[in-house]
């Protein structure tokens, strides 16, 4: 589904934020990407969707090279891969109702006979667990957890195969985090989505991901199946991260 090979991303100021990252996400799988602040997780995510300056390396989505994609290739990429960020308020237009926002995204999906945008938007808002009748409300009228549901509905509107979720629950209360994580897992199951799940929170990643890659200073220092990596981390940096695990486990288990 997604293959990243020797990716190097350098910002215009010369800062090399990603320095030789390789990773793979298979169809329907979840890869967790963890690492300290500034290690290059978001930059990797942005490079995959064409929002960060790739200096070298290859990114293939469904076998198609997407580095520097323009025109039709870029449009296809936007339909296949969707990125959801930590702060939905920054990515939702405050002057559009959420119904308008999701309808607009439905309009960017591949054409589908008989699909009515308004009905599809209602269906998507229901799919992410929002109550009926919320379409006419504006972003500021929602809680953080509800807004993340709106952001998910909008991302799903184009019927993507891969979702990149960048710290999507980091700003939420622990109990709300758990419900959003469970929603994401249910959506993944029902829709057969592949996920690249980015978080600095290793307990969240353990809950979400079948395999994990650990980033530090622009590079992946260790990767492997989640269980094995958590049971027997090899790299000292992974060991240090695991020693500092927070307490979400109990909340999601309950
Ligand atoms: N637009 C930019 N221009 C220049 N440097 C940037 C830019 N965005 C990020 N960086 C730098 O690139 C490096 C990686 O940043 P990035 O945001 O990818 O890290 P991260 O792992 O997502 O961190 P966090 O956990 O805090 O979100 C950091 O040193 C950051 O300062
Ligand atoms: Mg980040």
């Amino acid at each position: 589904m997604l293959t990243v090979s020797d990716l190097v991303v350098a910002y215009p100021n010369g800062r090399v934020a990603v320095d030789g990252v390789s990773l793979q996400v298979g169809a329907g799988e979840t890869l967790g990407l963890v690492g300290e602040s500034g290690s290059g997780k978001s930059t990797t995510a942005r490079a995959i969707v064409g929002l960060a300056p790739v200096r070298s390396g290859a990114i293939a989505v469904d076998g198609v090279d997407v580095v520097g994609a323009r025109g039709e290739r870029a449009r296809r990429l936007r339909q296949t891969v969707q990125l959801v960020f930590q702060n939905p308020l920054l990515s939702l237009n405050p002057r559009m109702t959420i119904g308008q926002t999701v309808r607009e995204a439905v309009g960017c999906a591949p054409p589908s006979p008989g699909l009515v945008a308004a009905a599809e938007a209602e269906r998507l808002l229901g799919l992410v667990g929002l109550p009926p009748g919320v379409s006419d409300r504006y972003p500021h009228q929602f809680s953080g957890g509800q807004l993340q549901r709106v952001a998910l509905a909008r991302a799903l509107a184009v019927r993507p195969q891969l979702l990149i979720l960048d710290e999507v629950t980091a700003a939420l209360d622990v109990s709300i985090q758990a419900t959003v994580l469970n929603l994401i897992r249910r959506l993944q199951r029902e829709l057969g989505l592949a996920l690249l799940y980015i978080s600095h929170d290793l307990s969240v990643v353990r809950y979400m991901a079948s395999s994990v890659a650990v980033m530090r200073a622009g590079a992946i220092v260790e990767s492997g199946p989640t269980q094995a990596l958590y049971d027997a981390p090899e790299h000292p940096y992974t060991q240090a991260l695991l020693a500092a695990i927070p307490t979400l486990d109990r909340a999601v288990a309950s």
Side-chain angles (χ1 to χ4, degrees), residues 158-185:
V158 296
R159 302 195 292 281
Q161 293 168 267
L162 170 68
L163 275 189
I164 304 177
L165 303 174
D166 189 356
E167 303 279 13
V168 286
T169 65
L172 305 176
D173 288 347
V174 170
S175 63
I176 306 293
Q177 267 191 43
T179 61
V180 173
L181 294 178
N182 286 327
L183 167 68
I184 293 167
R185 281 171 50 127

PDB file of all heavy atoms in Angstrom, residues 158-185:
ATOM      1  N   VAL A 158     -13.430  10.896   0.672  1.00  0.00           N
ATOM      2  CA  VAL A 158     -12.865  10.586  -0.643  1.00  0.00           C
ATOM      3  C   VAL A 158     -12.615   9.080  -0.799  1.00  0.00           C
ATOM      4  O   VAL A 158     -12.041   8.651  -1.791  1.00  0.00           O
ATOM      5  CB  VAL A 158     -11.562  11.379  -0.918  1.00  0.00           C
ATOM      6  CG1 VAL A 158     -11.855  12.869  -0.962  1.00  0.00           C
ATOM      7  CG2 VAL A 158     -10.498  11.066   0.123  1.00  0.00           C
ATOM      8  N   ARG A 159     -13.048   8.302   0.185  1.00  0.00           N
ATOM      9  CA  ARG A 159     -12.879   6.847   0.196  1.00  0.00           C
ATOM     10  C   ARG A 159     -11.405   6.446   0.046  1.00  0.00           C
ATOM     11  O   ARG A 159     -11.011   5.716  -0.876  1.00  0.00           O
ATOM     12  CB  ARG A 159     -13.742   6.193  -0.890  1.00  0.00           C
ATOM     13  CG  ARG A 159     -15.229   6.524  -0.736  1.00  0.00           C
ATOM     14  CD  ARG A 159     -16.120   5.621  -1.549  1.00  0.00           C
ATOM     15  NE  ARG A 159     -16.017   5.794  -2.986  1.00  0.00           N
ATOM     16  CZ  ARG A 159     -16.623   6.792  -3.660  1.00  0.00           C
ATOM     17  NH1 ARG A 159     -17.361   7.701  -3.010  1.00  0.00           N
ATOM     18  NH2 ARG A 159     -16.487   6.865  -4.955  1.00  0.00           N
ATOM     19  N   PRO A 160     -10.563   6.911   1.007  1.00  0.00           N
ATOM     20  CA  PRO A 160      -9.126   6.623   0.939  1.00  0.00           C
ATOM     21  C   PRO A 160      -8.841   5.166   1.319  1.00  0.00           C
ATOM     22  O   PRO A 160      -9.672   4.508   1.945  1.00  0.00           O
ATOM     23  CB  PRO A 160      -8.530   7.557   1.996  1.00  0.00           C
ATOM     24  CG  PRO A 160      -9.618   7.674   3.014  1.00  0.00           C
ATOM     25  CD  PRO A 160     -10.902   7.669   2.219  1.00  0.00           C
ATOM     26  N   GLN A 161      -7.653   4.712   0.949  1.00  0.00           N
ATOM     27  CA  GLN A 161      -7.224   3.372   1.377  1.00  0.00           C
ATOM     28  C   GLN A 161      -6.233   3.451   2.521  1.00  0.00           C
ATOM     29  O   GLN A 161      -6.034   2.492   3.240  1.00  0.00           O
ATOM     30  CB  GLN A 161      -6.567   2.651   0.204  1.00  0.00           C
ATOM     31  CG  GLN A 161      -7.542   2.326  -0.910  1.00  0.00           C
ATOM     32  CD  GLN A 161      -6.808   1.890  -2.159  1.00  0.00           C
ATOM     33  OE1 GLN A 161      -6.492   2.692  -3.047  1.00  0.00           O
ATOM     34  NE2 GLN A 161      -6.503   0.621  -2.222  1.00  0.00           N
ATOM     35  N   LEU A 162      -5.573   4.620   2.635  1.00  0.00           N
ATOM     36  CA  LEU A 162      -4.585   4.808   3.702  1.00  0.00           C
ATOM     37  C   LEU A 162      -4.893   6.110   4.432  1.00  0.00           C
ATOM     38  O   LEU A 162      -5.061   7.159   3.809  1.00  0.00           O
ATOM     39  CB  LEU A 162      -3.171   4.885   3.099  1.00  0.00           C
ATOM     40  CG  LEU A 162      -2.040   5.318   4.029  1.00  0.00           C
ATOM     41  CD1 LEU A 162      -1.765   4.266   5.097  1.00  0.00           C
ATOM     42  CD2 LEU A 162      -0.762   5.595   3.252  1.00  0.00           C
ATOM     43  N   LEU A 163      -4.979   6.018   5.756  1.00  0.00           N
ATOM     44  CA  LEU A 163      -5.123   7.222   6.578  1.00  0.00           C
ATOM     45  C   LEU A 163      -3.828   7.419   7.350  1.00  0.00           C
ATOM     46  O   LEU A 163      -3.327   6.477   7.966  1.00  0.00           O
ATOM     47  CB  LEU A 163      -6.235   7.060   7.611  1.00  0.00           C
ATOM     48  CG  LEU A 163      -7.694   7.344   7.273  1.00  0.00           C
ATOM     49  CD1 LEU A 163      -8.500   7.311   8.571  1.00  0.00           C
ATOM     50  CD2 LEU A 163      -7.857   8.669   6.561  1.00  0.00           C
ATOM     51  N   ILE A 164      -3.313   8.635   7.312  1.00  0.00           N
ATOM     52  CA  ILE A 164      -2.182   8.988   8.159  1.00  0.00           C
ATOM     53  C   ILE A 164      -2.740   9.833   9.287  1.00  0.00           C
ATOM     54  O   ILE A 164      -3.336  10.891   9.046  1.00  0.00           O
ATOM     55  CB  ILE A 164      -1.110   9.766   7.378  1.00  0.00           C
ATOM     56  CG1 ILE A 164      -0.660   8.954   6.163  1.00  0.00           C
ATOM     57  CG2 ILE A 164       0.063  10.097   8.288  1.00  0.00           C
ATOM     58  CD1 ILE A 164       0.361   9.677   5.290  1.00  0.00           C
ATOM     59  N   LEU A 165      -2.605   9.344  10.496  1.00  0.00           N
ATOM     60  CA  LEU A 165      -3.179  10.029  11.653  1.00  0.00           C
ATOM     61  C   LEU A 165      -2.037  10.551  12.496  1.00  0.00           C
ATOM     62  O   LEU A 165      -1.251   9.780  13.048  1.00  0.00           O
ATOM     63  CB  LEU A 165      -4.056   9.044  12.442  1.00  0.00           C
ATOM     64  CG  LEU A 165      -5.179   8.394  11.608  1.00  0.00           C
ATOM     65  CD1 LEU A 165      -5.901   7.325  12.415  1.00  0.00           C
ATOM     66  CD2 LEU A 165      -6.161   9.444  11.115  1.00  0.00           C
ATOM     67  N   ASP A 166      -1.896  11.873  12.551  1.00  0.00           N
ATOM     68  CA  ASP A 166      -0.743  12.484  13.218  1.00  0.00           C
ATOM     69  C   ASP A 166      -1.181  13.078  14.556  1.00  0.00           C
ATOM     70  O   ASP A 166      -1.740  14.173  14.596  1.00  0.00           O
ATOM     71  CB  ASP A 166      -0.147  13.557  12.296  1.00  0.00           C
ATOM     72  CG  ASP A 166       1.183  14.082  12.819  1.00  0.00           C
ATOM     73  OD1 ASP A 166       1.606  13.686  13.924  1.00  0.00           O
ATOM     74  OD2 ASP A 166       1.799  14.914  12.119  1.00  0.00           O
ATOM     75  N   GLU A 167      -0.918  12.350  15.621  1.00  0.00           N
ATOM     76  CA  GLU A 167      -1.249  12.816  16.977  1.00  0.00           C
ATOM     77  C   GLU A 167      -2.727  13.203  17.106  1.00  0.00           C
ATOM     78  O   GLU A 167      -3.057  14.210  17.743  1.00  0.00           O
ATOM     79  CB  GLU A 167      -0.385  14.025  17.362  1.00  0.00           C
ATOM     80  CG  GLU A 167       1.112  13.771  17.297  1.00  0.00           C
ATOM     81  CD  GLU A 167       1.674  13.049  18.518  1.00  0.00           C
ATOM     82  OE1 GLU A 167       0.867  12.516  19.317  1.00  0.00           O
ATOM     83  OE2 GLU A 167       2.901  13.003  18.646  1.00  0.00           O
ATOM     84  N   VAL A 168      -3.612  12.409  16.537  1.00  0.00           N
ATOM     85  CA  VAL A 168      -5.015  12.811  16.476  1.00  0.00           C
ATOM     86  C   VAL A 168      -5.697  12.827  17.840  1.00  0.00           C
ATOM     87  O   VAL A 168      -6.736  13.460  17.992  1.00  0.00           O
ATOM     88  CB  VAL A 168      -5.861  11.948  15.506  1.00  0.00           C
ATOM     89  CG1 VAL A 168      -5.560  12.296  14.063  1.00  0.00           C
ATOM     90  CG2 VAL A 168      -5.679  10.469  15.772  1.00  0.00           C
ATOM     91  N   THR A 169      -5.140  12.126  18.813  1.00  0.00           N
ATOM     92  CA  THR A 169      -5.791  12.160  20.132  1.00  0.00           C
ATOM     93  C   THR A 169      -4.940  12.880  21.174  1.00  0.00           C
ATOM     94  O   THR A 169      -5.312  12.937  22.343  1.00  0.00           O
ATOM     95  CB  THR A 169      -6.116  10.736  20.659  1.00  0.00           C
ATOM     96  OG1 THR A 169      -4.891  10.038  20.882  1.00  0.00           O
ATOM     97  CG2 THR A 169      -6.979   9.977  19.681  1.00  0.00           C
ATOM     98  N   ALA A 170      -3.831  13.461  20.739  1.00  0.00           N
ATOM     99  CA  ALA A 170      -2.890  14.030  21.710  1.00  0.00           C
ATOM    100  C   ALA A 170      -3.501  15.159  22.544  1.00  0.00           C
ATOM    101  O   ALA A 170      -3.141  15.345  23.699  1.00  0.00           O
ATOM    102  CB  ALA A 170      -1.640  14.525  20.991  1.00  0.00           C
ATOM    103  N   ALA A 171      -4.457  15.901  21.944  1.00  0.00           N
ATOM    104  CA  ALA A 171      -4.998  17.054  22.659  1.00  0.00           C
ATOM    105  C   ALA A 171      -6.268  16.703  23.442  1.00  0.00           C
ATOM    106  O   ALA A 171      -6.882  17.585  24.035  1.00  0.00           O
ATOM    107  CB  ALA A 171      -5.293  18.181  21.668  1.00  0.00           C
ATOM    108  N   LEU A 172      -6.655  15.436  23.452  1.00  0.00           N
ATOM    109  CA  LEU A 172      -7.933  15.069  24.066  1.00  0.00           C
ATOM    110  C   LEU A 172      -7.734  14.506  25.479  1.00  0.00           C
ATOM    111  O   LEU A 172      -6.699  13.925  25.786  1.00  0.00           O
ATOM    112  CB  LEU A 172      -8.637  14.009  23.205  1.00  0.00           C
ATOM    113  CG  LEU A 172      -8.862  14.379  21.728  1.00  0.00           C
ATOM    114  CD1 LEU A 172      -9.483  13.195  20.985  1.00  0.00           C
ATOM    115  CD2 LEU A 172      -9.731  15.611  21.604  1.00  0.00           C
ATOM    116  N   ASP A 173      -8.773  14.648  26.311  1.00  0.00           N
ATOM    117  CA  ASP A 173      -8.770  14.007  27.617  1.00  0.00           C
ATOM    118  C   ASP A 173      -8.629  12.499  27.438  1.00  0.00           C
ATOM    119  O   ASP A 173      -9.092  11.942  26.443  1.00  0.00           O
ATOM    120  CB  ASP A 173     -10.105  14.246  28.339  1.00  0.00           C
ATOM    121  CG  ASP A 173     -10.231  15.681  28.799  1.00  0.00           C
ATOM    122  OD1 ASP A 173      -9.216  16.401  28.776  1.00  0.00           O
ATOM    123  OD2 ASP A 173     -11.344  16.071  29.162  1.00  0.00           O
ATOM    124  N   VAL A 174      -8.052  11.856  28.434  1.00  0.00           N
ATOM    125  CA  VAL A 174      -7.765  10.427  28.297  1.00  0.00           C
ATOM    126  C   VAL A 174      -9.026   9.602  27.990  1.00  0.00           C
ATOM    127  O   VAL A 174      -8.999   8.719  27.132  1.00  0.00           O
ATOM    128  CB  VAL A 174      -7.056   9.897  29.569  1.00  0.00           C
ATOM    129  CG1 VAL A 174      -6.982   8.380  29.552  1.00  0.00           C
ATOM    130  CG2 VAL A 174      -5.656  10.473  29.652  1.00  0.00           C
ATOM    131  N   SER A 175     -10.155   9.920  28.637  1.00  0.00           N
ATOM    132  CA  SER A 175     -11.360   9.112  28.403  1.00  0.00           C
ATOM    133  C   SER A 175     -11.895   9.335  26.983  1.00  0.00           C
ATOM    134  O   SER A 175     -12.374   8.408  26.334  1.00  0.00           O
ATOM    135  CB  SER A 175     -12.430   9.437  29.433  1.00  0.00           C
ATOM    136  OG  SER A 175     -12.824  10.784  29.288  1.00  0.00           O
ATOM    137  N   ILE A 176     -11.787  10.581  26.501  1.00  0.00           N
ATOM    138  CA  ILE A 176     -12.219  10.884  25.128  1.00  0.00           C
ATOM    139  C   ILE A 176     -11.256  10.233  24.126  1.00  0.00           C
ATOM    140  O   ILE A 176     -11.664   9.706  23.097  1.00  0.00           O
ATOM    141  CB  ILE A 176     -12.252  12.418  24.886  1.00  0.00           C
ATOM    142  CG1 ILE A 176     -13.109  13.116  25.932  1.00  0.00           C
ATOM    143  CG2 ILE A 176     -12.766  12.732  23.489  1.00  0.00           C
ATOM    144  CD1 ILE A 176     -14.580  12.791  25.857  1.00  0.00           C
ATOM    145  N   GLN A 177      -9.961  10.265  24.471  1.00  0.00           N
ATOM    146  CA  GLN A 177      -8.968   9.578  23.641  1.00  0.00           C
ATOM    147  C   GLN A 177      -9.388   8.153  23.374  1.00  0.00           C
ATOM    148  O   GLN A 177      -9.356   7.675  22.247  1.00  0.00           O
ATOM    149  CB  GLN A 177      -7.628   9.499  24.384  1.00  0.00           C
ATOM    150  CG  GLN A 177      -6.658  10.593  24.109  1.00  0.00           C
ATOM    151  CD  GLN A 177      -5.288  10.250  24.705  1.00  0.00           C
ATOM    152  OE1 GLN A 177      -4.800   9.135  24.613  1.00  0.00           O
ATOM    153  NE2 GLN A 177      -4.673  11.237  25.319  1.00  0.00           N
ATOM    154  N   ALA A 178      -9.793   7.471  24.437  1.00  0.00           N
ATOM    155  CA  ALA A 178     -10.123   6.050  24.308  1.00  0.00           C
ATOM    156  C   ALA A 178     -11.286   5.846  23.345  1.00  0.00           C
ATOM    157  O   ALA A 178     -11.252   4.936  22.510  1.00  0.00           O
ATOM    158  CB  ALA A 178     -10.462   5.470  25.686  1.00  0.00           C
ATOM    159  N   THR A 179     -12.307   6.708  23.416  1.00  0.00           N
ATOM    160  CA  THR A 179     -13.447   6.514  22.509  1.00  0.00           C
ATOM    161  C   THR A 179     -13.052   6.812  21.062  1.00  0.00           C
ATOM    162  O   THR A 179     -13.496   6.126  20.150  1.00  0.00           O
ATOM    163  CB  THR A 179     -14.664   7.383  22.907  1.00  0.00           C
ATOM    164  OG1 THR A 179     -14.306   8.750  22.836  1.00  0.00           O
ATOM    165  CG2 THR A 179     -15.173   7.054  24.293  1.00  0.00           C
ATOM    166  N   VAL A 180     -12.191   7.800  20.867  1.00  0.00           N
ATOM    167  CA  VAL A 180     -11.761   8.115  19.499  1.00  0.00           C
ATOM    168  C   VAL A 180     -10.861   6.987  18.954  1.00  0.00           C
ATOM    169  O   VAL A 180     -10.981   6.584  17.792  1.00  0.00           O
ATOM    170  CB  VAL A 180     -11.059   9.483  19.438  1.00  0.00           C
ATOM    171  CG1 VAL A 180     -10.459   9.739  18.057  1.00  0.00           C
ATOM    172  CG2 VAL A 180     -12.056  10.595  19.773  1.00  0.00           C
ATOM    173  N   LEU A 181     -10.002   6.449  19.815  1.00  0.00           N
ATOM    174  CA  LEU A 181      -9.155   5.325  19.372  1.00  0.00           C
ATOM    175  C   LEU A 181     -10.007   4.131  18.973  1.00  0.00           C
ATOM    176  O   LEU A 181      -9.758   3.482  17.953  1.00  0.00           O
ATOM    177  CB  LEU A 181      -8.187   4.914  20.489  1.00  0.00           C
ATOM    178  CG  LEU A 181      -7.123   5.932  20.873  1.00  0.00           C
ATOM    179  CD1 LEU A 181      -6.277   5.405  22.034  1.00  0.00           C
ATOM    180  CD2 LEU A 181      -6.237   6.270  19.684  1.00  0.00           C
ATOM    181  N   ASN A 182     -11.031   3.858  19.767  1.00  0.00           N
ATOM    182  CA  ASN A 182     -11.900   2.721  19.431  1.00  0.00           C
ATOM    183  C   ASN A 182     -12.687   2.976  18.160  1.00  0.00           C
ATOM    184  O   ASN A 182     -12.899   2.056  17.366  1.00  0.00           O
ATOM    185  CB  ASN A 182     -12.833   2.399  20.605  1.00  0.00           C
ATOM    186  CG  ASN A 182     -12.071   1.717  21.731  1.00  0.00           C
ATOM    187  OD1 ASN A 182     -11.130   0.974  21.481  1.00  0.00           O
ATOM    188  ND2 ASN A 182     -12.464   1.968  22.963  1.00  0.00           N
ATOM    189  N   LEU A 183     -13.088   4.228  17.955  1.00  0.00           N
ATOM    190  CA  LEU A 183     -13.755   4.588  16.697  1.00  0.00           C
ATOM    191  C   LEU A 183     -12.830   4.318  15.507  1.00  0.00           C
ATOM    192  O   LEU A 183     -13.226   3.719  14.504  1.00  0.00           O
ATOM    193  CB  LEU A 183     -14.153   6.074  16.718  1.00  0.00           C
ATOM    194  CG  LEU A 183     -14.568   6.646  15.354  1.00  0.00           C
ATOM    195  CD1 LEU A 183     -15.876   6.026  14.886  1.00  0.00           C
ATOM    196  CD2 LEU A 183     -14.691   8.169  15.420  1.00  0.00           C
ATOM    197  N   ILE A 184     -11.572   4.750  15.636  1.00  0.00           N
ATOM    198  CA  ILE A 184     -10.626   4.569  14.531  1.00  0.00           C
ATOM    199  C   ILE A 184     -10.424   3.080  14.238  1.00  0.00           C
ATOM    200  O   ILE A 184     -10.405   2.653  13.086  1.00  0.00           O
ATOM    201  CB  ILE A 184      -9.277   5.255  14.861  1.00  0.00           C
ATOM    202  CG1 ILE A 184      -9.460   6.775  14.907  1.00  0.00           C
ATOM    203  CG2 ILE A 184      -8.213   4.876  13.834  1.00  0.00           C
ATOM    204  CD1 ILE A 184      -8.301   7.525  15.522  1.00  0.00           C
ATOM    205  N   ARG A 185     -10.328   2.295  15.301  1.00  0.00           N
ATOM    206  CA  ARG A 185     -10.149   0.845  15.078  1.00  0.00           C
ATOM    207  C   ARG A 185     -11.366   0.237  14.394  1.00  0.00           C
ATOM    208  O   ARG A 185     -11.242  -0.628  13.534  1.00  0.00           O
ATOM    209  CB  ARG A 185      -9.866   0.151  16.416  1.00  0.00           C
ATOM    210  CG  ARG A 185      -8.413   0.346  16.841  1.00  0.00           C
ATOM    211  CD  ARG A 185      -8.152  -0.131  18.250  1.00  0.00           C
ATOM    212  NE  ARG A 185      -8.642  -1.474  18.504  1.00  0.00           N
ATOM    213  CZ  ARG A 185      -7.912  -2.461  18.998  1.00  0.00           C
ATOM    214  NH1 ARG A 185      -6.632  -2.259  19.268  1.00  0.00           N
ATOM    215  NH2 ARG A 185      -8.431  -3.626  19.234  1.00  0.00           N
TER     216      ARG A 185
END
